[in-house]
Amino acid sequence: MDPAARTPSSPGFRPHRVVVLALDGLLPFELGIPHRIFGRPQDCAGRHLYEVVTCSVRPPGPVRTDADFDIHVGHGPEVLATADTVIVPASYELGPVYERGELTDELAAALAHVRPGTRLASICTGVYVLAAAGHLDGRPATTHWADAERLQRLFPRVAVDPDVLFVDDGDILTSAGVAAGIDLCLHIVRRDHGAAVANDVARRTVVPPHRDGGQAQYIQRPVPDPQQASTSGARAWALGRLHEPIQLRDMAARESMSVRTFTRRFREEAGVSPGQWLTRQRVERARYLLESTDLSVDQVARDAGFGTAQSMRQHLQAALGVTPTAYRRTFRAGAGGSAARSSVSV
């Protein structure tokens, strides 16, 4: 029996199959991200929610990496036909895909196995493969900030956003470079199974469940004066009292800064304004409470710091595309499935 064939652990249960396409010149770190993140989530019965399979564009065999070793990939491109989600990690040997925006015959033949409706995702320069295949025409996408300008020039029909860590456009998701692949995969777990499951995976992987801001904070700039104060203390202070009214001047006062200086420093460190950051933390708090408690929507709104259910409803609708009630119905008690499509670029 083909070891890649589906093997449900019980009648009626089938893990979501993630197929990772390993291309020559791949980065081992990025290839390992989907296995690490999707290999963790389990349901209350201890069954793995995802099954991760790696394949090549060729029959089983060695695939070159950018390191001093090759890897052996045990499956050929035909396994792409069994995927629920296909992930294309970065490669440094994309050839005509990167140079001219054209698929090789070998890669085109491999991608032809992907069934219509399969969710597609890329990490870093893997986005070139999706773009060359025409999947990103007229759609938003991102990649490593150093490649964003080239991607836009080569694929003018793609709406490239160089500032975000990843873009979720429903059935196609793209991420910036390296560690942003972790952000993307955690987001997919969160979208599929809720914040509690994703947060557990993040804890076990010893990474933050969500990183604020975008790529702008990672672009090289002059080294700041080491004597300059940080805003991290104010962020920690705010996280401990999300249920209370928090004013910008209160956060600035925690760091003995003027509001103007604090706002500038905060944006430099977090990549977003204090207000945007605070709203995001409250949305995450509300998601957790909706999933893991029986509190009423009014109580969740108060505990998350939104004050009223109407205010929370507006913020969740803007951030997630669903109402609090719909979100709870989807994710309560670890229910599988996805809430309404989110167009948020985090």
PDB file of all heavy atoms in Angstrom, residues 112-147:
ATOM      1  N   ALA A 112      -0.043  20.415 -12.374  1.00  0.00           N
ATOM      2  CA  ALA A 112      -1.276  19.974 -13.033  1.00  0.00           C
ATOM      3  C   ALA A 112      -2.005  18.914 -12.210  1.00  0.00           C
ATOM      4  O   ALA A 112      -3.200  18.674 -12.409  1.00  0.00           O
ATOM      5  CB  ALA A 112      -0.960  19.437 -14.428  1.00  0.00           C
ATOM      6  N   HIS A 113      -1.296  18.285 -11.288  1.00  0.00           N
ATOM      7  CA  HIS A 113      -1.933  17.283 -10.429  1.00  0.00           C
ATOM      8  C   HIS A 113      -2.833  17.915  -9.364  1.00  0.00           C
ATOM      9  O   HIS A 113      -3.690  17.236  -8.794  1.00  0.00           O
ATOM     10  CB  HIS A 113      -0.861  16.442  -9.721  1.00  0.00           C
ATOM     11  CG  HIS A 113      -0.123  15.495 -10.612  1.00  0.00           C
ATOM     12  ND1 HIS A 113      -0.665  14.320 -11.066  1.00  0.00           N
ATOM     13  CD2 HIS A 113       1.126  15.561 -11.143  1.00  0.00           C
ATOM     14  CE1 HIS A 113       0.209  13.683 -11.828  1.00  0.00           C
ATOM     15  NE2 HIS A 113       1.307  14.422 -11.881  1.00  0.00           N
ATOM     16  N   VAL A 114      -2.625  19.193  -9.055  1.00  0.00           N
ATOM     17  CA  VAL A 114      -3.383  19.848  -7.983  1.00  0.00           C
ATOM     18  C   VAL A 114      -4.845  19.998  -8.399  1.00  0.00           C
ATOM     19  O   VAL A 114      -5.158  20.545  -9.461  1.00  0.00           O
ATOM     20  CB  VAL A 114      -2.786  21.231  -7.652  1.00  0.00           C
ATOM     21  CG1 VAL A 114      -3.590  21.910  -6.540  1.00  0.00           C
ATOM     22  CG2 VAL A 114      -1.317  21.087  -7.237  1.00  0.00           C
ATOM     23  N   ARG A 115      -5.735  19.531  -7.560  1.00  0.00           N
ATOM     24  CA  ARG A 115      -7.166  19.591  -7.874  1.00  0.00           C
ATOM     25  C   ARG A 115      -7.709  21.013  -7.743  1.00  0.00           C
ATOM     26  O   ARG A 115      -7.277  21.769  -6.871  1.00  0.00           O
ATOM     27  CB  ARG A 115      -7.952  18.686  -6.927  1.00  0.00           C
ATOM     28  CG  ARG A 115      -7.651  17.210  -7.020  1.00  0.00           C
ATOM     29  CD  ARG A 115      -8.294  16.472  -5.871  1.00  0.00           C
ATOM     30  NE  ARG A 115      -7.791  16.943  -4.585  1.00  0.00           N
ATOM     31  CZ  ARG A 115      -8.422  16.767  -3.430  1.00  0.00           C
ATOM     32  NH1 ARG A 115      -9.610  16.187  -3.403  1.00  0.00           N
ATOM     33  NH2 ARG A 115      -7.896  17.208  -2.297  1.00  0.00           N
ATOM     34  N   PRO A 116      -8.673  21.395  -8.576  1.00  0.00           N
ATOM     35  CA  PRO A 116      -9.329  22.694  -8.405  1.00  0.00           C
ATOM     36  C   PRO A 116      -9.933  22.799  -7.012  1.00  0.00           C
ATOM     37  O   PRO A 116     -10.485  21.828  -6.483  1.00  0.00           O
ATOM     38  CB  PRO A 116     -10.427  22.675  -9.480  1.00  0.00           C
ATOM     39  CG  PRO A 116      -9.938  21.704 -10.513  1.00  0.00           C
ATOM     40  CD  PRO A 116      -9.189  20.649  -9.742  1.00  0.00           C
ATOM     41  N   GLY A 117      -9.817  23.969  -6.398  1.00  0.00           N
ATOM     42  CA  GLY A 117     -10.356  24.181  -5.067  1.00  0.00           C
ATOM     43  C   GLY A 117      -9.388  23.868  -3.950  1.00  0.00           C
ATOM     44  O   GLY A 117      -9.697  24.118  -2.779  1.00  0.00           O
ATOM     45  N   THR A 118      -8.213  23.325  -4.277  1.00  0.00           N
ATOM     46  CA  THR A 118      -7.201  23.055  -3.252  1.00  0.00           C
ATOM     47  C   THR A 118      -6.647  24.368  -2.723  1.00  0.00           C
ATOM     48  O   THR A 118      -6.365  25.283  -3.492  1.00  0.00           O
ATOM     49  CB  THR A 118      -6.050  22.215  -3.839  1.00  0.00           C
ATOM     50  OG1 THR A 118      -6.570  20.984  -4.336  1.00  0.00           O
ATOM     51  CG2 THR A 118      -4.976  21.936  -2.796  1.00  0.00           C
ATOM     52  N   ARG A 119      -6.499  24.474  -1.412  1.00  0.00           N
ATOM     53  CA  ARG A 119      -5.911  25.684  -0.829  1.00  0.00           C
ATOM     54  C   ARG A 119      -4.415  25.713  -1.147  1.00  0.00           C
ATOM     55  O   ARG A 119      -3.723  24.710  -1.004  1.00  0.00           O
ATOM     56  CB  ARG A 119      -6.139  25.707   0.681  1.00  0.00           C
ATOM     57  CG  ARG A 119      -5.616  26.953   1.365  1.00  0.00           C
ATOM     58  CD  ARG A 119      -6.152  27.077   2.789  1.00  0.00           C
ATOM     59  NE  ARG A 119      -5.763  25.951   3.639  1.00  0.00           N
ATOM     60  CZ  ARG A 119      -6.244  25.756   4.872  1.00  0.00           C
ATOM     61  NH1 ARG A 119      -7.133  26.588   5.386  1.00  0.00           N
ATOM     62  NH2 ARG A 119      -5.861  24.720   5.590  1.00  0.00           N
ATOM     63  N   LEU A 120      -3.935  26.882  -1.562  1.00  0.00           N
ATOM     64  CA  LEU A 120      -2.534  27.047  -1.938  1.00  0.00           C
ATOM     65  C   LEU A 120      -1.865  28.043  -1.004  1.00  0.00           C
ATOM     66  O   LEU A 120      -2.470  29.035  -0.604  1.00  0.00           O
ATOM     67  CB  LEU A 120      -2.420  27.550  -3.380  1.00  0.00           C
ATOM     68  CG  LEU A 120      -3.115  26.711  -4.464  1.00  0.00           C
ATOM     69  CD1 LEU A 120      -3.001  27.401  -5.815  1.00  0.00           C
ATOM     70  CD2 LEU A 120      -2.523  25.306  -4.528  1.00  0.00           C
ATOM     71  N   ALA A 121      -0.597  27.785  -0.670  1.00  0.00           N
ATOM     72  CA  ALA A 121       0.153  28.698   0.183  1.00  0.00           C
ATOM     73  C   ALA A 121       1.615  28.679  -0.234  1.00  0.00           C
ATOM     74  O   ALA A 121       2.115  27.686  -0.774  1.00  0.00           O
ATOM     75  CB  ALA A 121       0.021  28.307   1.649  1.00  0.00           C
ATOM     76  N   SER A 122       2.305  29.782   0.014  1.00  0.00           N
ATOM     77  CA  SER A 122       3.735  29.861  -0.295  1.00  0.00           C
ATOM     78  C   SER A 122       4.463  30.505   0.863  1.00  0.00           C
ATOM     79  O   SER A 122       3.899  31.291   1.617  1.00  0.00           O
ATOM     80  CB  SER A 122       3.969  30.665  -1.580  1.00  0.00           C
ATOM     81  OG  SER A 122       3.583  32.022  -1.402  1.00  0.00           O
ATOM     82  N   ILE A 123       5.736  30.145   0.976  1.00  0.00           N
ATOM     83  CA  ILE A 123       6.621  30.756   1.962  1.00  0.00           C
ATOM     84  C   ILE A 123       7.738  31.458   1.203  1.00  0.00           C
ATOM     85  O   ILE A 123       8.401  30.844   0.378  1.00  0.00           O
ATOM     86  CB  ILE A 123       7.203  29.710   2.930  1.00  0.00           C
ATOM     87  CG1 ILE A 123       6.080  29.004   3.696  1.00  0.00           C
ATOM     88  CG2 ILE A 123       8.195  30.357   3.892  1.00  0.00           C
ATOM     89  CD1 ILE A 123       6.561  27.865   4.590  1.00  0.00           C
ATOM     90  N   CYS A 124       7.894  32.756   1.444  1.00  0.00           N
ATOM     91  CA  CYS A 124       8.963  33.555   0.835  1.00  0.00           C
ATOM     92  C   CYS A 124       8.893  33.479  -0.695  1.00  0.00           C
ATOM     93  O   CYS A 124       7.852  33.736  -1.282  1.00  0.00           O
ATOM     94  CB  CYS A 124      10.311  33.080   1.385  1.00  0.00           C
ATOM     95  SG  CYS A 124      11.694  34.202   1.047  1.00  0.00           S
ATOM     96  N   THR A 125       9.990  33.090  -1.357  1.00  0.00           N
ATOM     97  CA  THR A 125      10.029  33.118  -2.822  1.00  0.00           C
ATOM     98  C   THR A 125       9.222  31.999  -3.464  1.00  0.00           C
ATOM     99  O   THR A 125       9.122  31.945  -4.699  1.00  0.00           O
ATOM    100  CB  THR A 125      11.483  33.057  -3.334  1.00  0.00           C
ATOM    101  OG1 THR A 125      12.118  31.879  -2.811  1.00  0.00           O
ATOM    102  CG2 THR A 125      12.257  34.289  -2.905  1.00  0.00           C
ATOM    103  N   GLY A 126       8.634  31.119  -2.661  1.00  0.00           N
ATOM    104  CA  GLY A 126       7.709  30.147  -3.228  1.00  0.00           C
ATOM    105  C   GLY A 126       6.549  30.821  -3.938  1.00  0.00           C
ATOM    106  O   GLY A 126       5.892  30.225  -4.793  1.00  0.00           O
ATOM    107  N   VAL A 127       6.320  32.099  -3.619  1.00  0.00           N
ATOM    108  CA  VAL A 127       5.249  32.854  -4.257  1.00  0.00           C
ATOM    109  C   VAL A 127       5.461  32.970  -5.764  1.00  0.00           C
ATOM    110  O   VAL A 127       4.505  33.084  -6.536  1.00  0.00           O
ATOM    111  CB  VAL A 127       5.125  34.261  -3.618  1.00  0.00           C
ATOM    112  CG1 VAL A 127       6.310  35.139  -4.004  1.00  0.00           C
ATOM    113  CG2 VAL A 127       3.819  34.933  -4.016  1.00  0.00           C
ATOM    114  N   TYR A 128       6.716  32.948  -6.223  1.00  0.00           N
ATOM    115  CA  TYR A 128       6.989  33.026  -7.662  1.00  0.00           C
ATOM    116  C   TYR A 128       6.357  31.856  -8.402  1.00  0.00           C
ATOM    117  O   TYR A 128       5.915  32.000  -9.551  1.00  0.00           O
ATOM    118  CB  TYR A 128       8.492  33.064  -7.913  1.00  0.00           C
ATOM    119  CG  TYR A 128       9.128  34.404  -7.691  1.00  0.00           C
ATOM    120  CD1 TYR A 128       9.504  34.808  -6.413  1.00  0.00           C
ATOM    121  CD2 TYR A 128       9.358  35.281  -8.750  1.00  0.00           C
ATOM    122  CE1 TYR A 128      10.085  36.056  -6.198  1.00  0.00           C
ATOM    123  CE2 TYR A 128       9.944  36.518  -8.547  1.00  0.00           C
ATOM    124  CZ  TYR A 128      10.304  36.903  -7.260  1.00  0.00           C
ATOM    125  OH  TYR A 128      10.872  38.136  -7.055  1.00  0.00           O
ATOM    126  N   VAL A 129       6.328  30.697  -7.779  1.00  0.00           N
ATOM    127  CA  VAL A 129       5.726  29.531  -8.412  1.00  0.00           C
ATOM    128  C   VAL A 129       4.223  29.738  -8.588  1.00  0.00           C
ATOM    129  O   VAL A 129       3.667  29.476  -9.656  1.00  0.00           O
ATOM    130  CB  VAL A 129       6.004  28.266  -7.575  1.00  0.00           C
ATOM    131  CG1 VAL A 129       5.262  27.064  -8.154  1.00  0.00           C
ATOM    132  CG2 VAL A 129       7.507  27.984  -7.517  1.00  0.00           C
ATOM    133  N   LEU A 130       3.558  30.220  -7.527  1.00  0.00           N
ATOM    134  CA  LEU A 130       2.118  30.465  -7.624  1.00  0.00           C
ATOM    135  C   LEU A 130       1.815  31.549  -8.655  1.00  0.00           C
ATOM    136  O   LEU A 130       0.838  31.455  -9.402  1.00  0.00           O
ATOM    137  CB  LEU A 130       1.562  30.865  -6.251  1.00  0.00           C
ATOM    138  CG  LEU A 130       1.733  29.859  -5.107  1.00  0.00           C
ATOM    139  CD1 LEU A 130       1.011  30.366  -3.855  1.00  0.00           C
ATOM    140  CD2 LEU A 130       1.219  28.481  -5.507  1.00  0.00           C
ATOM    141  N   ALA A 131       2.659  32.580  -8.673  1.00  0.00           N
ATOM    142  CA  ALA A 131       2.437  33.675  -9.625  1.00  0.00           C
ATOM    143  C   ALA A 131       2.657  33.205 -11.055  1.00  0.00           C
ATOM    144  O   ALA A 131       1.871  33.531 -11.960  1.00  0.00           O
ATOM    145  CB  ALA A 131       3.362  34.844  -9.296  1.00  0.00           C
ATOM    146  N   ALA A 132       3.717  32.444 -11.286  1.00  0.00           N
ATOM    147  CA  ALA A 132       4.006  31.959 -12.642  1.00  0.00           C
ATOM    148  C   ALA A 132       2.926  31.013 -13.138  1.00  0.00           C
ATOM    149  O   ALA A 132       2.671  30.921 -14.346  1.00  0.00           O
ATOM    150  CB  ALA A 132       5.365  31.262 -12.662  1.00  0.00           C
ATOM    151  N   ALA A 133       2.260  30.327 -12.221  1.00  0.00           N
ATOM    152  CA  ALA A 133       1.168  29.426 -12.599  1.00  0.00           C
ATOM    153  C   ALA A 133      -0.134  30.174 -12.840  1.00  0.00           C
ATOM    154  O   ALA A 133      -1.144  29.565 -13.219  1.00  0.00           O
ATOM    155  CB  ALA A 133       0.969  28.370 -11.512  1.00  0.00           C
ATOM    156  N   GLY A 134      -0.132  31.497 -12.617  1.00  0.00           N
ATOM    157  CA  GLY A 134      -1.313  32.319 -12.870  1.00  0.00           C
ATOM    158  C   GLY A 134      -2.300  32.378 -11.738  1.00  0.00           C
ATOM    159  O   GLY A 134      -3.367  32.997 -11.867  1.00  0.00           O
ATOM    160  N   HIS A 135      -1.981  31.801 -10.600  1.00  0.00           N
ATOM    161  CA  HIS A 135      -2.931  31.755  -9.486  1.00  0.00           C
ATOM    162  C   HIS A 135      -3.097  33.101  -8.785  1.00  0.00           C
ATOM    163  O   HIS A 135      -4.077  33.299  -8.058  1.00  0.00           O
ATOM    164  CB  HIS A 135      -2.488  30.714  -8.466  1.00  0.00           C
ATOM    165  CG  HIS A 135      -2.526  29.308  -8.968  1.00  0.00           C
ATOM    166  ND1 HIS A 135      -3.678  28.712  -9.449  1.00  0.00           N
ATOM    167  CD2 HIS A 135      -1.541  28.367  -9.086  1.00  0.00           C
ATOM    168  CE1 HIS A 135      -3.413  27.476  -9.829  1.00  0.00           C
ATOM    169  NE2 HIS A 135      -2.124  27.244  -9.609  1.00  0.00           N
ATOM    170  N   LEU A 136      -2.149  34.009  -8.966  1.00  0.00           N
ATOM    171  CA  LEU A 136      -2.185  35.275  -8.224  1.00  0.00           C
ATOM    172  C   LEU A 136      -2.626  36.463  -9.074  1.00  0.00           C
ATOM    173  O   LEU A 136      -2.636  37.594  -8.572  1.00  0.00           O
ATOM    174  CB  LEU A 136      -0.809  35.558  -7.608  1.00  0.00           C
ATOM    175  CG  LEU A 136      -0.339  34.548  -6.564  1.00  0.00           C
ATOM    176  CD1 LEU A 136       1.063  34.894  -6.076  1.00  0.00           C
ATOM    177  CD2 LEU A 136      -1.299  34.498  -5.383  1.00  0.00           C
ATOM    178  N   ASP A 137      -2.990  36.248 -10.298  1.00  0.00           N
ATOM    179  CA  ASP A 137      -3.430  37.356 -11.143  1.00  0.00           C
ATOM    180  C   ASP A 137      -4.626  38.058 -10.520  1.00  0.00           C
ATOM    181  O   ASP A 137      -5.645  37.428 -10.199  1.00  0.00           O
ATOM    182  CB  ASP A 137      -3.814  36.853 -12.537  1.00  0.00           C
ATOM    183  CG  ASP A 137      -2.613  36.429 -13.361  1.00  0.00           C
ATOM    184  OD1 ASP A 137      -1.475  36.663 -12.909  1.00  0.00           O
ATOM    185  OD2 ASP A 137      -2.810  35.866 -14.459  1.00  0.00           O
ATOM    186  N   GLY A 138      -4.495  39.377 -10.317  1.00  0.00           N
ATOM    187  CA  GLY A 138      -5.581  40.163  -9.748  1.00  0.00           C
ATOM    188  C   GLY A 138      -5.781  39.962  -8.265  1.00  0.00           C
ATOM    189  O   GLY A 138      -6.810  40.379  -7.727  1.00  0.00           O
ATOM    190  N   ARG A 139      -4.805  39.349  -7.603  1.00  0.00           N
ATOM    191  CA  ARG A 139      -4.970  39.050  -6.185  1.00  0.00           C
ATOM    192  C   ARG A 139      -3.811  39.624  -5.380  1.00  0.00           C
ATOM    193  O   ARG A 139      -2.723  39.857  -5.902  1.00  0.00           O
ATOM    194  CB  ARG A 139      -5.047  37.536  -5.975  1.00  0.00           C
ATOM    195  CG  ARG A 139      -6.143  36.891  -6.803  1.00  0.00           C
ATOM    196  CD  ARG A 139      -6.294  35.419  -6.523  1.00  0.00           C
ATOM    197  NE  ARG A 139      -6.863  35.180  -5.208  1.00  0.00           N
ATOM    198  CZ  ARG A 139      -7.468  34.047  -4.866  1.00  0.00           C
ATOM    199  NH1 ARG A 139      -7.582  33.063  -5.748  1.00  0.00           N
ATOM    200  NH2 ARG A 139      -7.958  33.882  -3.656  1.00  0.00           N
ATOM    201  N   PRO A 140      -4.026  39.842  -4.077  1.00  0.00           N
ATOM    202  CA  PRO A 140      -2.949  40.350  -3.220  1.00  0.00           C
ATOM    203  C   PRO A 140      -1.994  39.230  -2.837  1.00  0.00           C
ATOM    204  O   PRO A 140      -2.392  38.065  -2.716  1.00  0.00           O
ATOM    205  CB  PRO A 140      -3.699  40.887  -1.999  1.00  0.00           C
ATOM    206  CG  PRO A 140      -4.911  40.006  -1.922  1.00  0.00           C
ATOM    207  CD  PRO A 140      -5.308  39.723  -3.351  1.00  0.00           C
ATOM    208  N   ALA A 141      -0.745  39.593  -2.615  1.00  0.00           N
ATOM    209  CA  ALA A 141       0.263  38.609  -2.218  1.00  0.00           C
ATOM    210  C   ALA A 141       1.441  39.339  -1.600  1.00  0.00           C
ATOM    211  O   ALA A 141       1.577  40.560  -1.730  1.00  0.00           O
ATOM    212  CB  ALA A 141       0.724  37.783  -3.422  1.00  0.00           C
ATOM    213  N   THR A 142       2.305  38.574  -0.941  1.00  0.00           N
ATOM    214  CA  THR A 142       3.527  39.158  -0.398  1.00  0.00           C
ATOM    215  C   THR A 142       4.665  38.177  -0.541  1.00  0.00           C
ATOM    216  O   THR A 142       4.470  37.001  -0.889  1.00  0.00           O
ATOM    217  CB  THR A 142       3.346  39.574   1.077  1.00  0.00           C
ATOM    218  OG1 THR A 142       4.432  40.411   1.481  1.00  0.00           O
ATOM    219  CG2 THR A 142       3.295  38.343   1.995  1.00  0.00           C
ATOM    220  N   THR A 143       5.871  38.645  -0.275  1.00  0.00           N
ATOM    221  CA  THR A 143       7.070  37.829  -0.246  1.00  0.00           C
ATOM    222  C   THR A 143       8.084  38.558   0.614  1.00  0.00           C
ATOM    223  O   THR A 143       7.763  39.582   1.222  1.00  0.00           O
ATOM    224  CB  THR A 143       7.602  37.569  -1.670  1.00  0.00           C
ATOM    225  OG1 THR A 143       8.666  36.601  -1.610  1.00  0.00           O
ATOM    226  CG2 THR A 143       8.119  38.849  -2.312  1.00  0.00           C
ATOM    227  N   HIS A 144       9.290  38.039   0.691  1.00  0.00           N
ATOM    228  CA  HIS A 144      10.347  38.713   1.445  1.00  0.00           C
ATOM    229  C   HIS A 144      10.496  40.139   0.922  1.00  0.00           C
ATOM    230  O   HIS A 144      10.456  40.381  -0.288  1.00  0.00           O
ATOM    231  CB  HIS A 144      11.657  37.941   1.269  1.00  0.00           C
ATOM    232  CG  HIS A 144      12.742  38.355   2.210  1.00  0.00           C
ATOM    233  ND1 HIS A 144      13.384  39.578   2.104  1.00  0.00           N
ATOM    234  CD2 HIS A 144      13.312  37.715   3.264  1.00  0.00           C
ATOM    235  CE1 HIS A 144      14.295  39.680   3.046  1.00  0.00           C
ATOM    236  NE2 HIS A 144      14.279  38.551   3.772  1.00  0.00           N
ATOM    237  N   TRP A 145      10.676  41.099   1.826  1.00  0.00           N
ATOM    238  CA  TRP A 145      10.726  42.503   1.419  1.00  0.00           C
ATOM    239  C   TRP A 145      11.805  42.763   0.366  1.00  0.00           C
ATOM    240  O   TRP A 145      11.645  43.630  -0.498  1.00  0.00           O
ATOM    241  CB  TRP A 145      10.944  43.404   2.639  1.00  0.00           C
ATOM    242  CG  TRP A 145      12.206  43.144   3.423  1.00  0.00           C
ATOM    243  CD1 TRP A 145      12.328  42.370   4.545  1.00  0.00           C
ATOM    244  CD2 TRP A 145      13.514  43.651   3.161  1.00  0.00           C
ATOM    245  NE1 TRP A 145      13.624  42.357   4.991  1.00  0.00           N
ATOM    246  CE2 TRP A 145      14.385  43.142   4.160  1.00  0.00           C
ATOM    247  CE3 TRP A 145      14.044  44.495   2.183  1.00  0.00           C
ATOM    248  CZ2 TRP A 145      15.748  43.438   4.203  1.00  0.00           C
ATOM    249  CZ3 TRP A 145      15.413  44.795   2.224  1.00  0.00           C
ATOM    250  CH2 TRP A 145      16.241  44.262   3.220  1.00  0.00           C
ATOM    251  N   ALA A 146      12.895  41.992   0.406  1.00  0.00           N
ATOM    252  CA  ALA A 146      13.977  42.211  -0.558  1.00  0.00           C
ATOM    253  C   ALA A 146      13.596  41.753  -1.957  1.00  0.00           C
ATOM    254  O   ALA A 146      14.236  42.148  -2.945  1.00  0.00           O
ATOM    255  CB  ALA A 146      15.243  41.483  -0.101  1.00  0.00           C
ATOM    256  N   ASP A 147      12.554  40.928  -2.082  1.00  0.00           N
ATOM    257  CA  ASP A 147      12.130  40.419  -3.393  1.00  0.00           C
ATOM    258  C   ASP A 147      10.830  41.045  -3.878  1.00  0.00           C
ATOM    259  O   ASP A 147      10.390  40.760  -4.991  1.00  0.00           O
ATOM    260  CB  ASP A 147      11.942  38.903  -3.324  1.00  0.00           C
ATOM    261  CG  ASP A 147      13.208  38.135  -3.667  1.00  0.00           C
ATOM    262  OD1 ASP A 147      13.646  38.234  -4.823  1.00  0.00           O
ATOM    263  OD2 ASP A 147      13.746  37.465  -2.786  1.00  0.00           O
TER     264      ASP A 147
END
